[in-house]
């Protein structure tokens, strides 16, 4: 399973765009890139998933370069409620998920 | 989406007792479920993969005789922490795999406190 590397923490202010980059140099051909959000004392919540190029949904965008060795989660106009830990994972959808350290995002008013 | 529930949401028990945690997929069938534990300020750590109708596959370092997993139906997996000790106090989270190529859906977690 590919390992991922993310910044341990990030700070932002309300209304700003936040970009969290994840490195996954050993990603395999059939691996997808999935991002989860976790609030304290809750299970992770799916945010977005992609294989290559760009994916956008109602809450985020995911940018994946051609070599797929990294990905960037983009959260537009964050609010206080976006304060959470964000995990980047790579693997085939049927694989067991190995969580890395995640990125602790703190949004300030 | 798909919903996964866990019961109980939190449990306090005495050292030496056993505790059972249930994980249910409410609106889909899941042949595969996963169990994680999470200590404060740490990431999720995969404990085992639970497959319906077969023995669970445990990750290295996880004692299978201490953490008993039973996946008796397509919608229910249980994790039993046997002879619990204070160091077993943690947040236990399950996830269920929907379909053969779909995402994993996580439960809300169970907070276990062993006194």
């Amino acid at each position: 399973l590919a390992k991922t590397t993310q910044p341990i923490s990030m700070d932002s202010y309300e209304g700003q765009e936040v970009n969290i980059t994840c490195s996954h140099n050993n990603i395999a051909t059939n691996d997808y890139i999935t991002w989860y959000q976790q609030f304290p004392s809750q299970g992770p919540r799916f945010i977005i998933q992609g294989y290559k190029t760009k994916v956008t949904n109602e809450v985020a965008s995911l940018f994946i370069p051609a070599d797929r060795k990294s990905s960037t989660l983009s959260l537009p106009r964050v609010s206080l409620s976006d304060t959470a830990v964000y995990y980047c994972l790579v693997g085939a959808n049927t694989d067991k998920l190995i969580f890395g350290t995640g990125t602790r995002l703190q949004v300030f008013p | 989406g798909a919903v996964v529930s866990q019961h109980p949401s939190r449990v306090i028990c005495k050292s030496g007792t056993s505790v059972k945690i249930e994980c249910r997929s409410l609106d889909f069938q899941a042949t595969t479920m996963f169990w994680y534990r999470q200590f404060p300020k740490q990431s999720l750590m995969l404990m085992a993969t639970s497959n319906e109708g077969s023995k669970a596959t445990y990750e290295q370092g996880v004692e299978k005789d201490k953490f008993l997993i039973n996946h008796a139906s397509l919608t229910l997996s249980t994790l039993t922490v046997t002879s619990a000790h204070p160091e077993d106090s943690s947040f236990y989270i399950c996830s269920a795999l929907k379909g053969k190529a779909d995402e994993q859906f996580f439960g809300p977690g169970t907070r276990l406190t062993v006194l």
Side-chain angles (χ1 to χ4, degrees):
Chain A
L1 295 171
K3 285 188 175 180
T4 60
T5 303
Q6 305 174 231
I8 296 295
S9 65
M10 294 182 70
D11 292 337
S12 183
Y13 291 94
E14 282 192 294
Q16 290 189 334
E17 178 184 78
V18 171
N19 296 307
I20 306 174
T21 298
C22 178
S23 297
H24 27 80
N25 292 318
N26 299 319
I27 190 169
T29 303
N30 60 342
D31 285 344
Y32 285 80
I33 300 159
T34 310
W35 286 79
Y36 286 87
Q37 175 192 57
Q38 187 184 28
F39 296 113
S41 296
Q42 295 186 26
R45 183 177 75 97
F46 173 89
I47 300 175
I48 197 167
Q49 183 182 76
Y51 184 80
K52 61 179 179 180
T53 64
K54 177 184 175 181
V55 180
T56 298
N57 61 23
E58 61 275 10
V59 297
S61 294
L62 179 58
F63 299 92
I64 305 169
D67 65 5
R68 303 202 327 125
K69 293 183 182 299
S70 67
S71 59
T72 299
L73 173 72
S74 181
L75 304 173
R77 297 179 298 281
V78 294
S79 64
L80 294 175
S81 62
D82 293 316
T83 294
V85 179
Y86 293 82
Y87 294 98
C88 160
L89 293 98
V90 295
N93 280 332
T94 55
D95 282 349
K96 56 187 181 182
L97 296 178
I98 305 300
F99 282 76
T101 59
T103 298
R104 190 173 298 274
L105 173 65
Q106 178 69 55
V107 180
F108 295 96
Chain B
V3 180
V4 175
S5 70
Q6 285 184 237
H7 177 79
S9 57
R10 56 179 62 232
V11 57
I12 301 172
C13 69
K14 293 182 178 180
S15 185
T17 60
S18 294
V19 174
K20 180 185 286 187
I21 302 170
E22 294 184 348
C23 176
R24 292 182 185 272
S25 55
L26 298 184
D27 51 359
F28 66 98
Q29 293 183 331
T31 56
T32 302
M33 293 183 175
F34 301 91
W35 286 95
Y36 300 81
R37 65 189 295 181
Q38 185 176 33
F39 293 108
K41 303 293 186 182
Q42 294 188 22
S43 183
L44 284 77
M45 185 191 78
L46 179 67
M47 299 176 67
T49 301
S50 171
N51 294 297
E52 188 269 336
S54 64
K55 291 183 178 180
T57 303
Y58 290 83
E59 295 299 302
Q60 190 173 9
V62 178
E63 299 177 59
K64 61 181 180 181
D65 293 331
K66 180 170 182 61
F67 300 99
L68 302 179
I69 292 173
N70 185 9
H71 195 154
S73 77
L74 288 172
T75 60
L76 173 65
S77 175
T78 61
L79 168 69
T80 301
V81 183
T82 63
S83 187
H85 288 95
E87 57 265 30
D88 298 323
S89 297
S90 188
F91 192 53
Y92 291 86
I93 306 169
C94 72
S95 70
L97 189 62
K98 180 182 177 185
K100 292 186 177 180
D102 210 329
E103 68 191 73
Q104 288 187 32
F105 295 89
F106 285 83
T110 296
R111 174 77 57 193
L112 170 63
T113 302
V114 184
L115 302 177

